[in-house]
Amino acid sequence: MRLSLLFLVCCCTVMRILPQCATAAKARHFRWEVSNMFWSPDCEEKVLIGINGQFPGPTIRAKAGDTIVVELKNGLHTEGVVIHWHGIRQIGTPWADGTASISQCAINPEETFTYRFVVDKPGTYFYHGHYGMQRAAGLYGSLIVDVADGEEEPFKYDGELNLLLSDWYHESIYTQMVGLSSKPFRWIGEPQSLLINGRGQFNCSLAAAHTPGAKQCAVAGGGNRHCAPVILPVLPNKTYRLRVASTTSLASLNLAVGNHKLTVVEADGNYVDPFLVDDIDIYSGDSYSVLLTTNQNPSANYWISVGVRGRQPKTSPALAILNYRPNRASNLPPSPPPPTPAWDDFARSKSFTHRILGLAGNTPPPPAKSDRRIELLNTQNRMDGHIKWSINNVSMVLPSTPYLGSLKMGLKSAMPPSSESPSDTFGRGYDVTRPPANPNTTAGGNLYVIAHNATVDVVLQNANALARNVSEVHPWHLHGHDFWVLGYGEGMFDEKLASAAFNLRNPPLRNTAVIFPYGWTAIRFVADNPGVWAFHCHIEPHLHMGMGVIFAEAVDRVGELPKAAVSCGATATALMAGNGGGHV
Amino acid sequence: MRLSLLFLVCCCTVMRILPQCATAAKARHFRWEVSNMFWSPDCEEKVLIGINGQFPGPTIRAKAGDTIVVELKNGLHTEGVVIHWHGIRQIGTPWADGTASISQCAINPEETFTYRFVVDKPGTYFYHGHYGMQRAAGLYGSLIVDVADGEEEPFKYDGELNLLLSDWYHESIYTQMVGLSSKPFRWIGEPQSLLINGRGQFNCSLAAAHTPGAKQCAVAGGGNRHCAPVILPVLPNKTYRLRVASTTSLASLNLAVGNHKLTVVEADGNYVDPFLVDDIDIYSGDSYSVLLTTNQNPSANYWISVGVRGRQPKTSPALAILNYRPNRASNLPPSPPPPTPAWDDFARSKSFTHRILGLAGNTPPPPAKSDRRIELLNTQNRMDGHIKWSINNVSMVLPSTPYLGSLKMGLKSAMPPSSESPSDTFGRGYDVTRPPANPNTTAGGNLYVIAHNATVDVVLQNANALARNVSEVHPWHLHGHDFWVLGYGEGMFDEKLASAAFNLRNPPLRNTAVIFPYGWTAIRFVADNPGVWAFHCHIEPHLHMGMGVIFAEAVDRVGELPKAAVSCGATATALMAGNGGGHV
């Protein structure tokens, strides 16, 4: 089988004549230009970051095994840019992970950087900016990988619908970033709108008939095309795959479809043991596929409702219309939109999350034991009048010279202070149920050096924030890897009790895992992908406030870096200095 | 004299013991961090770019011959930054001119670049951002150079007052830049406020008693310190030197002091033949010193009023208070503020400008003849649905790799299209009194290569814009040089008539010269400063729309460039490639 695939690839490359070539993995080329543009995602005009004049950016659709080539031109005027391919492991191409300060130099204005990487695994992915808070400025889009030709999904469906969920603020990210860095601190607050495929409605509701006091939004015609409601056409008595991903800046979401049940079949590009639910929770950085059968009264349309969970919601749900054809899309559903579960019903949230398990016969089991355990205490702290998030009492700052280059070249002076040897654990005396006794924190690189092929457990330990009786939800996302989620627990992680209860039989493989308030989450991964990988809370302002760590993995085994990935800062200077004859 | 100065410098450097050392030229060190911050320049809170938490940035005060050393850290989150030292010729240090895409790589976030240059000539200068439209975001401050110890100004005064003038928009520069680049084009409009030393008042007037319908602004106390009125304390019967500079984004200004006459003594860091006026016009990029004698009724205070000229004004004048001590500053002047002359009284404007002449015995005369004449036709054009300003029908675009490095290394591929050999003239058939017959333009580098030590005349030819009966004012600023202003004229430049009338006897030396509507201005300079120098309209949106050219002057004679100035783009890649043994 491998030989024959190789044969086909050779055919395509060398001869380009055999009809079978159409079925082999191929390179998919894209030319993108990122730029600021006027857009009205929720009918209020703002400036956002688009790609090729579109928001959200173009959807990439590929087949497993394909090579994606994106020539990304930065058309911003004074800002650098990078794009992270969320969920793609970048095996052998860590310089294409698209993380500023970590995997590459930010692309300067008017420069072009070529991302070239293999999408090795089918699934529902997305991409987004990973510099400052540019994701929250609208720099994102969908990346969907189908199974390779000749392969089959472990479930059947008749059609497919794609929903990329996000939240939207009317303040610019510049203002947001200044506020988060200011003394006194200014929180960004709750988003003004939720968006489905980049569209939302502010100050009106599509379901005004069911929403006391709300103004009816235009359903079609007359409206601004940027914020026209999302219509999802379906035929009765079919089964659809809904691909759902969340790239929110802050909000944890819940998605429900009026009158319809959903069967969860995929999470973060990995198949899961199917289970039936009324709605799904989806945290920033998550993606899911759910199957929906159009078995309801075909004379009506139905609401798709996306609301906020996990924080007291101040944002109206986003609505889309599941349009049973041949009904007109403008026939609004007669029933009220399905209500979002109570924001603080964490028992319900946990129940959903705990049901996500690996698909037997498909999900590889984790190694039985780990070589190292890294415990990461998540706390909210103060530093010199600022408010920060810290990991083991160090708030992450990123270097101006990206790690992948500086580590490969051994430029230790390019690292942030105290980057080396952060602690693998934290004092067990810490009381996670109360605000920190000593709220002061420091800044550092939080750079963990991981041995090649080590099996690593990470315990993410949540705690009380600065205010009493507050502990927040944090979805942590790992770059360069999927991980098994071994278990979730309440309160302080207890090594003996917890380890004994780890699920080593059918844990799900994911790239994002949530920690619930006052709880812990344990994950396991194998450090088999040389590179430098971010591991961080996917909430944009939390990352900006320092909530992350870096895993440097066998950097000596990383291949030659593209020059453009290191042509900045200390790596550029060092390489230029190495040029004996070439004083400028 | 020169020997003794050298002796003193040596003393200071080597021995640091002689008391005379205090009087010699010295290095003045500054550590600055640029960052976004909340500020209320006109009492409305916005985000602007400040330095060390201040807006405007810190004033640099030095003596002629001093070396200024500014370690500039970029504390912006995703934007590059540079600072241009406006009026400083950077003799021998062209990499310190602070022009992105021209003299250096923009400083990346968290990086520090050290500007080191000599302020060789006393005068009133300022500094400002020169990347995108960052100047308009508030990145500016004053740079004042006193005469060297033992030297004297050619006029006397008892005290000094400094007024840095600017205009202020409530829309962010990001929104402004998107609008200017959009199809359809969106003009930025007139500024919301004028600022004196970074302070203005929006939606109220300090002189409400004299301004029908206006609300009285708070004069002291209770107000926001960011927008507290500027109070200039003086004693009666003294002579003050007012230093006035304009770093406006758009507005041409006029400054008057109620009841007081002004004697103009300096323009752009060069002494001028003193002349008495009621008020001064000041265009963006200009600086002046005027003497004011406090010979009026000492029991009153007086208004300083700054209003808009040259464009139909929609912005209220900025007011400051000349506070005759011991009167209280809060005693508002009893008279109405001096009115700004009619915006379109260009005869009056020209009369003022034409009176600015070199100071006999001080201003060196220009070479009698030039080696080359470059004629630059200024037109407003269309390009692919965009609106642009063009020079000889090419709208300037800047390269991602700065010219100073790419020219020194011979990297022609790093230049914009058609950078080489732009035209030294334009067709005499062009009708400057009408909109362009063919409004279409193209983009290019507008890179003029100038021979070392050539004497160059430049004729700036104004024309009608796209709309009928519109021709605008454009203040052109030259980097790296002062130039003599040889003459101004109306309509199409006529070589024979004009050359014969050139003032070669006492033309003023300046770094900024205005072209009036439908007119021309002729300047002369000696290309004796190897480097790459921008020459452009100082109106920020006009430059953004392409209104400029580049003079590359004997780049082969430029000394070794600091690595940080070339560690981006094609220069970084080329230098890294030259590093035979050092694959990353």
Side-chain angles (χ1 to χ4, degrees):
Chain A
M1 166 64 196
R2 289 216 168 170
L3 268 178
S4 66
L5 182 63
L6 185 66
F7 173 75
L8 283 174
V9 172
C10 288
C11 285
C12 294
T13 309
V14 179
M15 303 172 69
R16 294 175 189 275
I17 46 167
L18 300 184
Q20 302 93 300
C21 288
T23 67
K26 66 177 189 181
R28 295 177 189 269
H29 284 264
F30 302 89
R31 283 194 184 185
W32 287 359
E33 179 166 347
V34 166
S35 66
N36 276 319
M37 57 187 196
F38 291 115
W39 206 267
S40 308
D42 62 359
C43 305
E44 301 263 317
E45 189 183 76
K46 300 290 170 188
V47 170
L48 54 62
I49 305 182
I51 298 175
N52 291 355
Q54 295 177 237
F55 168 75
T59 293
I60 291 182
R61 187 113 204 175
K63 290 182 180 171
D66 285 353
T67 297
I68 305 295
V69 183
V70 178
E71 292 177 46
L72 188 72
K73 180 177 176 187
N74 180 2
L76 302 173
H77 291 110
T78 56
E79 287 179 74
V81 81
V82 293
I83 288 186
H84 169 59
W85 316 92
H86 185 109
I88 306 302
R89 292 172 294 173
Q90 302 289 353
I91 295 169
T93 53
W95 49 79
D97 194 43
T99 47
S101 295
I102 304 169
S103 67
Q104 70 168 114
C105 296
I107 309 163
N108 286 328
E110 295 302 306
E111 299 269 4
T112 297
F113 180 87
T114 300
Y115 289 98
R116 184 186 302 269
F117 55 89
V118 174
V119 288
D120 62 313
K121 206 159 54 77
T124 304
Y125 306 104
F126 54 104
Y127 61 82
H128 59 78
H130 213 295
Y131 191 25
M133 287 176 59
Q134 289 180 342
R135 189 179 92 225
L139 182 51
Y140 47 75
S142 291
L143 196 176
I144 294 173
V145 182
D146 291 303
V147 291
D149 286 325
E151 302 283 331
E152 285 196 357
E153 306 273 9
F155 43 82
K156 300 281 181 199
Y157 51 96
D158 304 302
E160 192 180 309
L161 304 164
N162 185 44
L163 300 174
L164 181 61
L165 310 181
S166 56
D167 50 9
W168 184 246
Y169 287 80
H170 288 174
E171 289 281 21
S172 76
I173 59 164
Y174 312 105
T175 301
Q176 292 180 44
M177 288 190 289
V178 174
L180 294 170
S181 305
S182 284
K183 292 193 279 189
F185 180 77
R186 296 196 201 177
W187 176 238
I188 62 170
E190 300 299 313
Q192 275 62 61
S193 303
L194 302 179
L195 307 181
I196 300 175
N197 294 346
R199 300 180 191 180
Q201 291 83 34
F202 180 69
N203 265 345
C204 67
S205 172
L206 289 171
H210 308 285
T211 314
K215 193 178 76 174
Q216 178 67 42
C217 310
V219 178
N224 183 324
R225 72 181 170 89
H226 294 169
C227 58
V230 172
I231 309 289
L232 300 164
V234 292
L235 295 174
N237 297 310
K238 302 281 184 188
T239 294
Y240 290 87
R241 178 182 191 166
L242 263 69
R243 295 180 183 269
V244 190
S246 172
T247 182
T248 53
S249 177
L250 174 67
S252 300
L253 301 176
N254 179 277
L255 177 142
V257 184
N259 293 45
H260 292 73
K261 299 268 186 185
L262 307 170
T263 303
V264 181
V265 294
E266 181 217 342
D268 299 358
N270 293 289
Y271 300 120
V272 302
D273 193 19
F275 61 101
L276 193 70
V277 290
D278 289 326
D279 54 82
I280 62 168
D281 285 336
I282 177 162
Y283 301 94
S284 182
D286 283 348
S287 66
Y288 289 102
S289 285
V290 297
L291 301 181
L292 170 151
T293 300
T294 48
N295 54 10
Q296 296 300 302
N297 179 352
S299 68
N301 292 330
Y302 298 88
W303 295 113
I304 296 175
S305 178
V306 176
V308 172
R309 299 207 68 203
R311 303 178 67 92
Q312 190 153 24
K314 294 175 181 166
T315 313
S316 301
L319 297 175
I321 294 168
L322 189 72
N323 172 213
Y324 271 54
R325 290 288 168 89
N327 301 331
R328 294 174 60 158
S330 57
N331 288 353
L332 292 178
S335 314
T340 302
W343 71 271
D344 55 354
D345 184 352
F346 290 108
R348 195 180 193 285
S349 303
K350 291 170 190 172
S351 164
F352 171 77
T353 299
H354 297 171
R355 289 180 71 183
I356 301 164
L357 297 166
L359 177 60
N362 177 286
T363 311
K369 299 204 168 198
S370 68
D371 301 308
R372 179 175 177 184
R373 188 171 68 221
I374 299 173
E375 300 172 350
L376 303 176
L377 175 66
N378 290 233
T379 56
Q380 195 181 39
N381 300 84
R382 294 185 196 282
M383 188 173 75
D384 186 27
H386 298 280
I387 295 185
K388 298 289 178 187
W389 288 98
S390 294
I391 305 306
N392 294 353
N393 210 31
V394 181
S395 185
M396 183 177 74
V397 288
L398 290 169
S400 53
T401 302
Y403 282 119
L404 187 58
S406 62
L407 285 170
K408 197 153 157 49
M409 294 172 65
L411 303 173
K412 292 198 174 176
S413 63
M415 313 281 166
S418 60
S419 287
E420 290 181 90
S421 308
S423 179
D424 272 15
T425 187
F426 56 90
R428 275 300 179 281
Y430 192 91
D431 184 349
V432 298
T433 67
R434 294 169 193 277
N438 175 0
N440 296 324
T441 192
T442 53
N446 286 356
L447 177 69
Y448 287 85
V449 177
I450 312 274
H452 186 48
N453 280 331
T455 296
V456 179
D457 283 0
V458 180
V459 177
L460 292 161
Q461 175 68 57
N462 210 340
N464 198 100
L466 283 168
R468 283 177 195 279
N469 299 318
V470 173
S471 182
E472 301 187 15
V473 167
H474 303 287
W476 277 72
H477 171 64
L478 178 60
H479 292 230
H481 299 273
D482 288 331
F483 52 71
W484 294 272
V485 186
L486 301 186
Y488 301 89
E490 307 287 324
M492 177 64 88
F493 176 76
D494 180 302
E495 186 181 334
K496 286 188 185 166
L497 288 177
S499 303
F502 279 172
N503 174 11
L504 301 178
R505 196 178 60 82
N506 63 347
L509 268 176
R510 306 204 61 169
N511 60 54
T512 304
V514 71
I515 46 174
F516 289 107
Y518 300 108
W520 56 262
T521 298
I523 66 169
R524 178 168 294 176
F525 72 98
V526 179
D528 55 2
N529 190 14
V532 185
W533 308 109
F535 181 46
H536 61 90
C537 177
H538 206 260
I539 290 175
E540 193 84 312
H542 289 185
L543 173 58
H544 191 73
M545 293 161 70
M547 200 167 204
V549 300
I550 306 291
F551 291 151
E553 218 175 290
V555 174
D556 55 311
R557 291 172 178 260
V558 172
E560 186 177 340
L561 306 180
K563 285 199 185 65
V566 290
S567 65
C568 67
T571 45
T573 307
L575 285 166
M576 287 158 64
N579 176 20
H583 279 317
V584 189
Chain B
M1 165 64 193
R2 288 216 170 171
L3 267 177
S4 66
L5 182 64
L6 184 65
F7 172 74
L8 283 174
V9 172
C10 288
C11 286
C12 294
T13 309
V14 179
M15 302 173 68
R16 294 175 188 277
I17 45 166
L18 300 183
Q20 302 94 300
C21 288
T23 66
K26 67 177 188 180
R28 297 178 188 268
H29 283 264
F30 302 88
R31 283 194 183 185
W32 287 359
E33 180 166 345
V34 166
S35 66
N36 276 318
M37 57 187 196
F38 291 113
W39 205 267
S40 307
D42 62 0
C43 306
E44 301 262 318
E45 188 184 77
K46 300 289 171 191
V47 170
L48 53 62
I49 305 182
I51 298 175
N52 292 355
Q54 294 177 236
F55 168 75
T59 294
I60 291 181
R61 187 112 203 177
K63 291 183 179 170
D66 286 352
T67 297
I68 304 294
V69 184
V70 178
E71 293 177 46
L72 187 73
K73 180 177 176 188
N74 180 2
L76 302 173
H77 291 111
T78 56
E79 287 180 75
V81 80
V82 293
I83 288 185
H84 169 59
W85 315 93
H86 185 109
I88 306 303
R89 292 173 292 172
Q90 302 290 353
I91 295 168
T93 53
W95 49 79
D97 193 42
T99 47
S101 295
I102 304 169
S103 68
Q104 70 169 114
C105 296
I107 309 163
N108 286 328
E110 295 301 307
E111 298 269 3
T112 296
F113 181 87
T114 301
Y115 289 97
R116 184 187 302 268
F117 55 90
V118 174
V119 288
D120 62 311
K121 206 160 53 76
T124 304
Y125 306 103
F126 54 105
Y127 61 83
H128 58 78
H130 213 296
Y131 191 25
M133 288 176 59
Q134 289 180 344
R135 189 180 92 226
L139 183 52
Y140 47 75
S142 291
L143 197 176
I144 295 173
V145 182
D146 291 303
V147 292
D149 287 325
E151 302 285 330
E152 284 195 359
E153 306 272 8
F155 42 84
K156 300 280 181 201
Y157 51 97
D158 304 301
E160 191 180 309
L161 305 165
N162 185 44
L163 299 174
L164 180 61
L165 309 181
S166 56
D167 51 8
W168 184 245
Y169 287 80
H170 288 175
E171 288 281 21
S172 76
I173 59 164
Y174 312 105
T175 301
Q176 293 180 44
M177 289 191 287
V178 174
L180 294 170
S181 305
S182 284
K183 292 193 280 189
F185 179 77
R186 296 195 201 177
W187 175 238
I188 63 170
E190 300 298 314
Q192 274 63 61
S193 303
L194 301 179
L195 308 181
I196 299 174
N197 294 346
R199 301 179 192 181
Q201 292 82 33
F202 179 69
N203 265 345
C204 67
S205 172
L206 288 170
H210 308 284
T211 314
K215 193 178 76 174
Q216 179 66 44
C217 308
V219 178
N224 183 326
R225 73 182 170 89
H226 295 167
C227 57
V230 172
I231 309 291
L232 300 165
V234 291
L235 295 174
N237 297 311
K238 302 282 184 187
T239 293
Y240 290 87
R241 177 182 192 168
L242 264 67
R243 296 182 182 268
V244 190
S246 172
T247 182
T248 53
S249 176
L250 175 66
S252 300
L253 302 176
N254 179 277
L255 178 141
V257 183
N259 292 45
H260 292 73
K261 299 267 187 189
L262 307 169
T263 303
V264 181
V265 293
E266 181 215 345
D268 300 357
N270 292 289
Y271 301 120
V272 302
D273 193 19
F275 61 102
L276 194 69
V277 289
D278 289 325
D279 54 83
I280 62 167
D281 285 335
I282 178 162
Y283 302 94
S284 182
D286 282 349
S287 66
Y288 290 103
S289 285
V290 296
L291 301 181
L292 171 150
T293 300
T294 49
N295 54 9
Q296 296 301 302
N297 177 353
S299 68
N301 292 330
Y302 298 88
W303 295 113
I304 296 175
S305 178
V306 176
V308 171
R309 298 207 69 203
R311 304 177 66 92
Q312 189 153 24
K314 294 175 181 165
T315 313
S316 301
L319 297 174
I321 295 167
L322 189 72
N323 173 212
Y324 270 54
R325 290 286 168 93
N327 300 331
R328 294 174 61 157
S330 57
N331 287 355
L332 292 179
S335 313
T340 302
W343 71 271
D344 56 353
D345 185 352
F346 291 109
R348 194 180 195 285
S349 303
K350 291 169 188 170
S351 163
F352 171 77
T353 298
H354 296 170
R355 290 180 72 182
I356 301 165
L357 296 166
L359 177 61
N362 178 285
T363 311
K369 299 207 167 199
S370 67
D371 301 307
R372 179 175 178 183
R373 187 170 71 221
I374 299 172
E375 301 172 350
L376 302 176
L377 175 65
N378 290 232
T379 56
Q380 196 181 39
N381 299 83
R382 293 184 196 282
M383 187 172 76
D384 186 27
H386 299 280
I387 296 185
K388 298 288 178 187
W389 289 97
S390 294
I391 304 307
N392 294 354
N393 210 31
V394 181
S395 184
M396 182 177 74
V397 288
L398 290 170
S400 53
T401 302
Y403 282 119
L404 187 58
S406 62
L407 285 170
K408 195 152 159 50
M409 293 172 66
L411 303 174
K412 293 200 172 173
S413 63
M415 313 280 166
S418 61
S419 287
E420 290 180 272
S421 308
S423 179
D424 271 15
T425 187
F426 56 89
R428 276 297 180 282
Y430 192 92
D431 184 349
V432 299
T433 67
R434 295 170 193 276
N438 175 0
N440 295 323
T441 193
T442 55
N446 285 355
L447 176 70
Y448 288 85
V449 177
I450 312 275
H452 186 50
N453 280 329
T455 297
V456 180
D457 283 1
V458 180
V459 177
L460 291 160
Q461 175 67 57
N462 210 340
N464 198 100
L466 284 168
R468 283 176 194 279
N469 299 319
V470 174
S471 181
E472 302 187 14
V473 167
H474 303 287
W476 277 72
H477 172 63
L478 177 60
H479 292 230
H481 299 273
D482 288 332
F483 52 73
W484 293 272
V485 185
L486 301 187
Y488 300 88
E490 308 286 323
M492 177 63 88
F493 176 76
D494 179 301
E495 186 181 333
K496 287 188 181 163
L497 289 176
S499 304
F502 278 173
N503 174 13
L504 301 177
R505 196 177 59 82
N506 63 348
L509 267 176
R510 305 205 63 169
N511 60 54
T512 304
V514 72
I515 46 174
F516 290 107
Y518 300 108
W520 57 263
T521 298
I523 66 170
R524 179 168 293 177
F525 72 97
V526 179
D528 54 3
N529 191 14
V532 184
W533 308 110
F535 181 46
H536 60 91
C537 176
H538 207 260
I539 291 176
E540 192 84 313
H542 289 185
L543 173 58
H544 192 73
M545 293 161 70
M547 201 167 204
V549 301
I550 305 291
F551 291 152
E553 218 176 289
V555 174
D556 56 311
R557 290 172 180 262
V558 171
E560 185 177 341
L561 306 181
K563 284 198 187 65
V566 290
S567 65
C568 66
T571 45
T573 307
L575 284 166
M576 287 157 64
N579 176 21
H583 280 316
V584 190

